[in-house]
Amino acid sequence: MNTRSGIEYRLYQITVIVLMAILLLAAMPIAFASAAPLIVANAIDGDGVMTVSPISVTYGSVTDFTFTFMPTTGRDFVAGSSVELTIPSGWTTPVTTSGAGLVTVNAGTCTLNGAPPFSVVGM
């Protein structure tokens, strides 16, 4: 039977704990070095979410809509990317000058290029 004193046993426990901690710390750089690097890819067709406000209107009413487009988290759109919004048939034809169907764009945090910086297709 082992007859270690209480102090000797406590020192044994502390030594085991310290050795385990050293082994764990020594293994950490190896684990991190073997992990694949984090790569953030550019956005692709279909990335992003568009919301509209208001979400419902009364038939025949005149209403301003706000469409908000947000890219997929962590993905950037490359130069030349675009957002497409299709106006349903039967709605007022979109125009870029004053009047019914007026389309305006607020860049928000985006950089818009071109003259004008956006286009309305299918008028």
Side-chain angles (χ1 to χ4, degrees):
M1 181 172 185
N2 193 345
T3 58
R4 291 186 186 165
S5 70
I7 294 174
E8 287 176 329
Y9 186 71
R10 186 70 180 142
L11 286 173
Y12 171 77
Q13 287 179 323
I14 292 171
T15 302
V16 169
I17 291 171
V18 169
L19 287 174
M20 289 176 63
I22 291 171
L23 287 173
L24 287 173
L25 290 173
M28 285 176 64
I30 295 169
F32 289 125
S34 65
L38 178 61
I39 298 173
V40 177
N42 286 330
I44 58 173
D45 283 351
D47 277 350
V49 175
M50 186 177 290
T51 59
V52 62
S53 177
I55 59 172
S56 64
V57 295
T58 303
Y59 176 79
S61 65
V62 175
T63 306
D64 290 338
F65 291 94
T66 301
F67 294 90
T68 304
F69 177 80
M70 297 295 297
T72 302
T73 303
R75 293 182 174 242
D76 287 328
F77 286 88
V78 297
S81 296
S82 63
V83 173
E84 182 177 312
L85 176 63
T86 303
I87 306 300
S89 61
W91 283 31
T92 303
T93 302
V95 296
T96 56
T97 57
S98 64
L102 177 63
V103 175
T104 60
V105 173
N106 178 340
T109 60
C110 298
T111 301
L112 299 177
N113 296 310
F118 66 95
S119 63
V120 177
V121 180
M123 292 192 285

